[in-house]
Amino acid sequence: MKNYVLRSGMRVPAVGFGTYKLTGTTGANAIASAIQTGYRLLDTAYNYENEGAVGAGIRRSGVARSELVVTSKLPGRYYHYNDAITAIQESLFRSGLDYFDLYLLHWPNPKADHYVEAWQALQAAKQFGLVRDIGVCNFLPAHLDRLAQETGELPVVNQIELHPYFNQAAQREYDTAHGILTEDWSPLGRASAVIQDPVLVNLAKRYAVSVGQLILRWEVQLGTLPIPKSAHLTRQRENLALDFTIADQDMAAINALSKPDGRMKQQDPAVYEEF
């Protein structure tokens, strides 16, 4: 699989595995299956309440921890410095891991306005060896500019909502210009109407792939890192089988589907708060 190299030198695969709602024994088994299928980047979060299942899935997979890139995220209620450090430690205890490869701020929560303090805590966590590298989710250029100005460090990744109905062209351009890798949450549009879009359905038929494969390949060709989720082995395998190339005119046709109001749940980081 294609790999990206982060600013720090860490290598990450071009497609990761999302774990949202994969909990308990069923979730741990699905995560183990994904690792055995070939996924090497796992994405979880404190608020997913499944860091334990992720750790169990890793241990059940039989794949060495050193071969994996494990990501988790800090919720807004722990953005004060001391709270953040404790929360990261608790995440590690729950997962049974010694460190996270990537740890992200989940949302900027601009009304509460503690994200700079939280970012400073992540910087410290990296120095303490709790995490290898740090990033953010859902940060807009103004938020990122402030991190650079007040802390001297930009994230290595910015995980944002990205799918054919919301391709985030401006944010991707900013991220690329600042050495930030864009990751895609809800890369398939939360299995919504996006999957049924006639343009995508017809293109998928032309390439003899599923609509999901078409979308994921489009995202990889954009230079982003999608993190699809599936508990089913067949779909897990399918989401990694992206060894085809979408022609330029078809990339343009998919990009043309993007809408200014294309967010699935209207979670605009300029105003949305999650704790």
Side-chain angles (χ1 to χ4, degrees), residues 167-184:
N167 73 10
Q168 294 264 39
Q171 184 65 59
R172 286 189 286 110
E173 183 177 358
Y174 176 100
D175 289 350
T176 299
H178 291 81
I180 302 168
L181 176 64
T182 300
E183 286 188 326
D184 316 339

Side-chain angles (χ1 to χ4, degrees), residues 55-75:
I58 291 170
R59 291 185 289 276
R60 293 179 185 189
S61 73
V63 172
R65 166 69 180 92
S66 60
E67 294 186 23
L68 304 174
V69 177
V70 184
T71 305
S72 195
K73 312 180 190 80
L74 184 72

Side-chain angles (χ1 to χ4, degrees), residues 72-104:
S72 195
K73 312 180 190 80
L74 184 72
R77 63 187 177 279
Y78 296 130
Y79 274 16
H80 289 298
Y81 184 93
N82 289 335
D83 294 339
I85 297 298
T86 300
I88 296 169
Q89 292 169 336
E90 286 293 337
S91 287
L92 289 170
F93 293 152
R94 282 194 296 275
S95 66
L97 302 176
D98 294 326
Y99 63 91
F100 288 112
D101 299 277
L102 289 168
Y103 206 81
L104 318 178

